[in-house]
Amino acid sequence: MPKAKKTGSDFNNFKPYEPSEGEEYMNSGQLNHFRNILMGWKQELMEEVDRTVHHMQEDAANYADPSDRATQEEEFSLELRARDRERKLIKKIDQTIDRIDNDDYGYCDSCGVEIGIRRLEARPTATLCIDCKTLAEIKEKQNGV
């Protein structure tokens, strides 16, 4: 699940996909399932952007006290940083939806194996299987990235 999401969001409350026996991996039913998850997640993020804009417009005040002004500016700065991370996530969600549209979703970019339904439900924008992701993280730690 996305790290920055609050518990209780719609993204976290989808019904897990239950494949039937012998069902082909990444068939139209599965692709629609993930498209719905991604579209719902994107909608939540867009609503959060709207709430932030509204909040900043409503709460913007020109405080005479420098401490109050600094506190407000710091709050706005934190909020804007969070929205920037979400903007990047929205871009990644859009790229993932494009992968679904191009029948390139659900397979590891590195080795080509199936990423797996449960992993994709946990991280719908995943592009690496768990083994390749683990190796990439180990390499990052070794390189100090």
Side-chain angles (χ1 to χ4, degrees):
M1 304 277 166
K3 293 177 185 174
K5 292 308 291 173
K6 298 172 271 193
T7 56
S9 70
D10 290 337
F11 170 74
N12 291 323
N13 293 326
F14 65 86
K15 182 180 180 211
Y17 187 86
E18 293 299 331
S20 54
E21 193 167 324
E23 182 177 331
E24 183 181 337
Y25 182 71
M26 285 302 125
N27 61 43
S28 62
Q30 291 175 13
L31 291 173
N32 285 333
H33 173 71
F34 288 109
R35 181 187 312 280
N36 290 336
I37 289 172
L38 289 160
M39 294 300 286
W41 192 11
K42 181 179 175 181
Q43 182 64 37
E44 283 182 36
L45 293 170
M46 297 299 289
E47 289 171 4
E48 190 62 32
V49 167
D50 291 342
R51 279 192 291 273
T52 297
V53 170
H54 181 69
H55 170 256
M56 291 180 81
Q57 287 172 342
E58 292 287 315
D59 291 353
N62 193 4
Y63 292 107
D65 181 28
S67 295
D68 291 339
R69 195 172 331 126
T71 299
Q72 182 186 47
E73 287 176 12
E74 181 63 22
E75 287 173 5
F76 284 176
S77 175
L78 289 171
E79 225 171 309
L80 289 172
R81 259 188 280 164
R83 295 304 82 77
D84 188 52
R85 282 192 308 272
E86 290 172 354
R87 178 190 57 80
K88 291 174 185 173
L89 181 54
I90 289 170
K91 183 177 178 183
K92 193 168 185 180
I93 289 170
D94 286 338
Q95 291 169 343
T96 303
I97 292 169
D98 287 344
R99 289 178 68 123
I100 290 173
D101 293 340
N102 296 326
D103 292 326
D104 192 29
Y105 182 71
Y107 296 92
C108 180
D109 281 354
S110 183
C111 69
V113 301
E114 297 174 357
I115 293 175
I117 291 173
R118 296 301 167 240
R119 172 158 167 68
L120 289 170
E121 284 179 334
R123 175 68 62 188
T125 57
T127 58
L128 297 174
C129 68
I130 195 67
D131 292 335
C132 289
K133 182 63 177 173
T134 301
L135 284 173
E137 289 175 354
I138 290 169
K139 287 178 184 176
E140 283 178 17
K141 283 182 183 177
Q142 289 175 343
N143 294 331
V145 176

